[in-house]
Amino acid sequence: MASTSKRTFLQAMCLVVSLSTLVYGNYGDDIKVSFGGDYFNEITDEDQVEEVTPTPSPEPCRSPVFTKWDKLFTMLENSQMKENMLLQYVDDIIKVELQSLRGELLQFVAQYGGSCTSAVESLVRRAGIQTETRLQNVLDRVREVSADQYTQHDAALQQLLAASVNQAARMERLESSCLKSGAGGLVSQDKNFQARHLMQEVTETENGGRLEKTLSTISSELQTVREQLTLYTRSVFANSLPSGCDTGLIFPTRSSTAHVEVSPKTPSQNNAVTICLWVKPTQVLNKTILFSYSTTGNAYELQLVLTGQSVFFTVDGEAHLVEASGAIQEGQWVHICAVWSSHQGLASLWVNGKQAASSPGVAEGHELRSKGSILLGQEYGRSFRHLSIPDTFDAELAFTGKMTGVNMWDRVLDSKEISQQARLDGRGCGIRGNVVAWGVSDIEPKGGVKLIY
């Protein structure tokens, strides 16, 4: 058994040695593997003839005979074997390296896992503390803001209380100055009762802490007081004159003779004008004349005209005008000012102390003619030249109602000067123009127009 194994091993060794000798000695130069551009190996006709060349082999081994194809396949098998060995070797190396890396990772986790956990816990704890601190700061800030708002609301309540008391005092002064009957005392008592009622509610609210409800209540009460004050003011001034005026004009009917002539002073300059007046129209038609300044060369030099609820101010004819819509209401006092300057032709209308309309380019560069005539409630129109019938006009253009505080300047008044005249309960009539001054200039009512005191 042992001799047989030895003999087999010796034969295998002889076979390997013989193959190596044959490949290197006899066929080393004959086998050429060609790799051309097309990557094909070609076998020529000469290679197809198998030559059998007996070679003497040493005893006891006997070398087999190999063709060139056998040699080629043997080389391919050897290369595949080497490739398999390399792949197996690489696979073993990767497995070993992965196992080593896994072991190192497990060791790292075991060594540093506890410290990482404690670090995460510490970070979470610090974040929680910071969040609580910020929330506390926000709550403190909210409390401060609430306290400030409460203080502001308290101050607002005090101001409202003072305003209501002020309002009651003003109403008492108005009643004492404008009313002579006992109705004024009743209204005053009613307002005083409302003021005391407001004071009582404010006190109860401060004690109870119902700030928001009290503000709403006070606002509604003040609105009620304001509405009643408006009604009271209207009733007081229904039969009186506004803005402290002592005298006024009443145009009772619309006729062809009703008008008022005014004697103006000669203006010092002719490139600017301001006209202000108080009117309370009874009825307004398509065209109602309030103020008209006419000269020999131009009957429509300056005009203030009412049309419906609108006011028109024309300079040098109706082609140059400015309009304020919704300015007039029948049966109510309204203060109107018309301002014009030849520089850039800037014209504006002011209603109750506020600018209602403005327009540039109105009779730009025009100069007003002097030595003209002023009519209230009518216009000369084309009949201005017919001196034989100077007191005959168009009845459809006549004004009906009341008028007072008519003033005229040869300059542009600023907004403060205009607003001072427009206060219904003020002393605007004390401000007088330098061309026409109400209460000073000579006026002559005609055609049934009366001067009232």
Side-chain angles (χ1 to χ4, degrees), residues 70-141:
D70 293 334
K71 298 173 186 179
L72 180 61
F73 288 139
T74 301
M75 292 175 63
L76 290 175
E77 288 177 357
N78 289 337
S79 65
Q80 179 131 18
M81 185 182 300
K82 291 178 181 180
E83 182 181 356
N84 292 335
M85 292 174 64
L86 288 173
L87 291 175
Q88 184 66 30
Y89 179 70
V90 170
D91 190 25
D92 293 340
I93 290 176
I94 291 175
K95 288 181 179 179
V96 172
E97 292 295 332
L98 287 176
Q99 290 178 357
S100 175
L101 180 61
R102 183 173 179 273
E104 292 178 359
L105 287 175
L106 291 175
Q107 184 179 1
F108 176 80
V109 171
Q111 184 176 357
Y112 298 103
S115 61
C116 288
T117 304
S118 61
V120 171
E121 291 178 354
S122 176
L123 180 62
V124 172
R125 192 179 301 108
R126 286 199 300 271
I129 294 173
Q130 292 178 359
T131 303
E132 291 179 358
T133 304
R134 292 180 180 177
L135 286 175
Q136 187 64 34
N137 293 335
V138 171
L139 289 175
D140 295 339
R141 179 60 181 165

Side-chain angles (χ1 to χ4, degrees), residues 259-263 374-376 380 390-391 442-446:
H259 68 283
V260 176
E261 295 181 359
V262 181
S263 301
I374 295 178
L375 289 183
L376 302 179
Y380 279 113
D391 295 339
D442 185 22
I443 60 174
E444 186 177 354
K446 294 184 178 182

